[in-house]
Amino acid sequence: SPYSSRCIAQPRRRVTDWATARFTSGRAQMKIGSLAKMGVHFASTAHASAYRLFGGRVAMGERTLLLTTKGRKTGKENTKPLFYVEDGGRLYIVASYGGNDAPPAWYLNLTANPEVTVEVGSSKRRYLARSMPPAEAEKIWPKLLKMYPAYADYQKQTTRVIPVVELSAKGA
């Protein structure tokens, strides 16, 4: 299937100064550096602030939401702007982390605490998050790629299968 075959990573030809690559058995393994992590955190925080200030009308586009998770270690709330696709009354997000071999912290948080808050535009609502098994994710994957084609490149950069997360509104 197209979804299950996407876990094959290709060696990268170029490595930027914000990431390092290791090659193991002909496969590239990407690891994001600490400087890049700080940059991502700063950009996410700034984007979330702008998103709230302008009611969701910001540079990343109309298919952006704010996901707030509860920290699995700290218990603190963390908010990240993410692209999403809506289908059948549910929202779908991708835990790509730009093709990094490690999943993003927000994904680890929601696997530990699946009750999340989602802001779409000026609307704020509680959702239940669920990491989809590959057979289910395969159905929504083409819509996610249509919305953001770079997900295919991210999958090629990493050795892990990038998770797709389904968000279902609580009480719906």
Side-chain angles (χ1 to χ4, degrees), residues 18 32-48 60 79-82 96-98 100 104-106 154:
W18 56 267
I32 194 164
S34 58
L35 184 60
K37 282 182 185 179
M38 285 184 354
V40 168
H41 177 74
F42 175 77
S44 292
T45 302
H47 187 88
M60 282 177 65
T79 302
K80 297 293 177 203
L82 300 168
S96 65
Y97 205 15
N100 191 33
W106 64 259
Y154 294 165

Side-chain angles (χ1 to χ4, degrees), residues 30 48 51 53 70 102 105 118-119 129 132 145 148 155 161 167 169:
M30 293 302 299
Y51 189 98
L53 182 65
K70 182 179 177 182
V118 174
E119 297 172 60
M132 299 175 72
L145 286 180
Y148 191 65
Q155 184 57 75
V161 174
L167 302 169

